[in-house]
Amino acid sequence: MANKLNPKQNEAVKYVAGPLLVLAGAGSGKTSVITRKIAYLIKQCGVSGKHIAAVTFTNKASREMKERVSKLVSGPEARGLRVSTFHNLGLNIIKSEHKALGYKPGFSIFDSEDAKALIRDLMMKEGDENTDRINHIQMEISNWKNAMLTPEEIIAQAKTPDDLMLGNVYATYRRYLKAYNALDFDDLILQPVLLFRNHPESLARWRQKIRYLLVDEYQDTNMAQYELVKQIVGDRETLTVVGDDDQSIYAWRGARPENLAKLEVDFPSLKLVKLEQNYRSTSLILRAANQLIANNPHMFDKALWSELGQGERIRVIRCRHEDAEAEQIASEILDLKLKKDIPFKDFAVLYRGNHQSRLLEIKLKAFQVPYRMSGGSSFFSKNEIKDAMGYLRLIANPDDDAAFLRVVNVPRREIGPSTLEKLGNYATQREVSLSQAVNEVGLEQVLSEKALARVRRFSEWLKRNTERCYQEDPIPVVKQMFTDIEYDQWLYQNSNTPKQAEKRMENVWYLVDSLRNMLELDKGTADEIGIDEAISKLILRDMLDQQEEEDDSDKVHLLTLHASKGLEFPHVFIMGMEEELLPHRNSIEEDNIEEERRLMYVGITRAQRTLALTYAASRKQYGEKIETIPSRFIDELPEDDLQFEGGEQQDKVRVQEKGNSTLSALLGGLK
């Protein structure tokens, strides 16, 4: 898109007389509107950067926004501008108001795995170790927090013994978190909301700080996020939100597209501006997206249009079975690469569930087509890396309570949650860290002799190794630590296969090597760093973000429809266009087709130039061949804009022949 704003974008940027909802269709330049509006508020309206906050949902989106704003405004005017995710804003509020919330400074944040481990320990006490059950309870607690429900409210409205048990687990979970001076991910929103409800002076302070609020992807907000926005804005109505109810695909994690409609109720003077011009896709692709989504009920009507020409018809390709479908996609990509010199990175294959990529990966490898999986787990999110980082963090900072809790019982040292709760409560009363509390005489009054001996044994071992790290070459010491605790054996016990355990141990050694490289990099220079600084550098590395940003290599993108949101690609394949896959069986059973339709809409609007939809006429399920039914979404697209291929006459031989000839061409080109 050119630098010049279109009339509707311009209207959205310059409207500051009251609350504004910008209904921004896919590819309509909404990020431009938000960033230009920030610049307009600073330059034309005289609002200081430190009094403006813009919130979004992902680190990537907030980073992109920051970069764009810095090109428009710089220097003192932009100083103090807050551009962050919702959770980061919540974290900053908690940091500055921790006293009022009853937390010590340096509180820990539990990620999903840490929270699950705690719930698992609590369930074991109840005699329930069912993994599905633990996942269910974790999701329930998350939903309750997003809906701002306290354990007391859940217990009060319990109708069955099971409801009551769940409420009690929630209450115990909350109590333990508090004792550990820890918060989970959902607390980063819930706690500021509760703070502002109960402490008007804190709310007044933050209203003074944030005098204009901009919110991106508003359709993805949950109840707690909506409440936080309402609290900060108050009756000043200095608010701009950007959203698209057609792209609301996160109901499963508490998103409420109806929050868009609620705005009209809570802010009666709300102005609506629609961005309908699309700068991404051809007219045919947009027509398909518009016709599909018209089958959903709408709070606000809009129709995307484009000046990028008609474009090619959308292909609908029937394949005999899932193997032929994967082969079709892989051979086509290679064919187009060789014949038209289209880079691999211009192709994306989207699917409903991660399991669908397996066959495709095999075919791409066979054809020597490079690919990258998006939305897979980052290096730092692997459990073994989190464990290893826990030990390293304690070497850098023995008072890191989150790290202490992470590793004190990994591998198992028979130090259970009730011991840790008592230790946590004692540390809170004494206003010391968990590590410091272990060595205090008073702890002998709180813990049993056995429990005390276990935690002290761990603490002494750690202290001994930490001292050695600062006195001698730290790398051999760190390696020895993992050998001492027999971490490889722990991985063998907690991995599905010995091969997986080996791979996971290799990851740990890779991390230690990274640490060594950091230490050696500036050795003997003025910039030489110690073990604590090297570990701090590792902690600060957000590997996932780095990978997302840096991997611009020539590879086909494989990703789920959910993970594709916010992205665009010249050539898109959506595979598995079948009933019970897309729409998903669960959605059909729960009569929630609307969300699946929005997901399909997101998929279609990722395509810039060409779009192909594939399905398998039969698919293996539990070892049995099942005839499939093509997805209802194909019938909802404009028939005249579709090109149907691969009827009954298409057989495997033809697909294979095409694949083989393409492969020969490739191999010939490599010689």
Side-chain angles (χ1 to χ4, degrees), residues 490-502:
W490 167 253
L491 288 177
Y492 274 106
Q493 289 160 21
N494 290 277
S495 300
N496 296 327
T497 62
K499 199 162 173 61
Q500 191 190 23
E502 277 169 37

Side-chain angles (χ1 to χ4, degrees), residues 166-182:
L166 285 175
N168 285 325
V169 170
Y170 180 20
T172 314
Y173 171 76
R174 185 180 67 174
R175 203 178 72 233
Y176 272 60
L177 275 182
K178 200 72 190 258
Y180 296 164
N181 194 39

Side-chain angles (χ1 to χ4, degrees), residues 11 95 171 210 236 249 334 389-390 474 478 523 582 593 623:
E11 186 184 357
K95 274 183 178 166
I210 300 175
R236 296 172 305 181
I249 55 173
L334 188 54
M389 283 301 296
V478 169
K523 216 171 194 173
L582 185 66
I593 298 297

Side-chain angles (χ1 to χ4, degrees), residues 22 24 29-35 53-58 60-62 64-65 83-86 213-221 225 229 239-244 247 260 565-566:
V22 181
K30 66 180 174 70
T31 309
S32 285
V33 167
I34 296 173
T35 51
V55 286
T56 182
F57 277 83
T58 65
K60 191 176 173 194
S62 86
E64 187 186 339
M65 215 176 276
V83 179
S84 70
T85 61
F86 258 110
L213 184 63
L214 301 102
V215 186
D216 190 15
E217 304 284 8
Y218 204 74
Q219 74 282 347
D220 292 337
T221 53
Q225 286 160 334
V229 168
L239 171 71
T240 292
V241 309
V242 181
D244 179 5
Q247 292 188 74
L260 285 168
K565 190 162 173 278

Side-chain angles (χ1 to χ4, degrees), residues 550-608:
E550 289 167 11
D551 193 357
D552 193 34
S553 51
D554 193 24
K555 294 174 182 175
V556 175
H557 302 260
L558 308 187
L559 61 174
T560 63
L561 285 155
H562 280 101
S564 74
K565 190 162 173 278
L567 305 173
E568 54 186 39
F569 309 95
H571 308 283
V572 171
F573 291 85
I574 303 178
M575 65 188 294
M577 291 292 304
E578 300 145 37
E579 290 289 300
E580 302 199 350
L581 259 182
L582 185 66
H584 195 274
R585 181 189 304 150
N586 295 350
S587 302
I588 298 171
E589 287 169 0
E590 291 161 15
D591 197 22
N592 185 20
I593 298 297
E594 286 169 23
E595 174 121 346
E596 292 290 296
R597 191 173 283 114
R598 289 196 291 269
L599 196 54
M600 179 70 188
Y601 175 82
V602 164
I604 292 173
T605 52
R606 297 313 94 197
Q608 293 171 301

Side-chain angles (χ1 to χ4, degrees), residues 317-329 359 578 614-620 625-629 645-656:
I317 307 166
R318 176 190 181 275
C319 306
R320 285 173 32 140
H321 39 62
E322 66 260 55
D323 197 74
E325 181 186 38
E327 190 148 328
Q328 174 90 28
I329 295 169
L359 257 176
E578 300 145 37
T614 68
Y615 67 94
S618 67
R619 200 172 280 277
K620 270 190 191 148
K625 197 168 111 172
I626 310 282
E627 297 294 315
T628 68
I629 300 166
E645 298 174 19
E648 295 293 335
Q649 77 281 7
Q650 177 168 345
D651 62 0
K652 192 177 177 184
V653 176
R654 215 158 54 79
V655 177
Q656 276 183 341

Side-chain angles (χ1 to χ4, degrees), residues 57-127:
F57 277 83
T58 65
N59 286 329
K60 191 176 173 194
S62 86
R63 212 171 37 246
E64 187 186 339
M65 215 176 276
K66 270 182 199 159
E67 282 165 11
R68 290 214 207 171
V69 171
S70 66
K71 288 174 185 162
L72 299 169
V73 274
S74 56
E77 337 172 86
R79 197 164 291 137
L81 171 71
R82 291 183 174 83
V83 179
S84 70
T85 61
F86 258 110
H87 290 92
N88 253 323
L89 176 65
L91 178 61
N92 290 331
I93 295 169
I94 297 166
K95 274 183 178 166
S96 72
E97 309 285 339
H98 66 268
K99 256 199 183 114
L101 284 164
Y103 289 95
K104 296 188 299 217
F107 52 81
S108 309
I109 298 164
F110 274 31
D111 65 16
S112 168
E113 287 302 320
D114 298 328
K116 188 180 283 174
L118 174 55
I119 294 167
R120 184 181 293 114
D121 285 343
L122 297 177
M123 295 302 290
M124 279 167 79
K125 284 178 80 176
E126 298 276 335

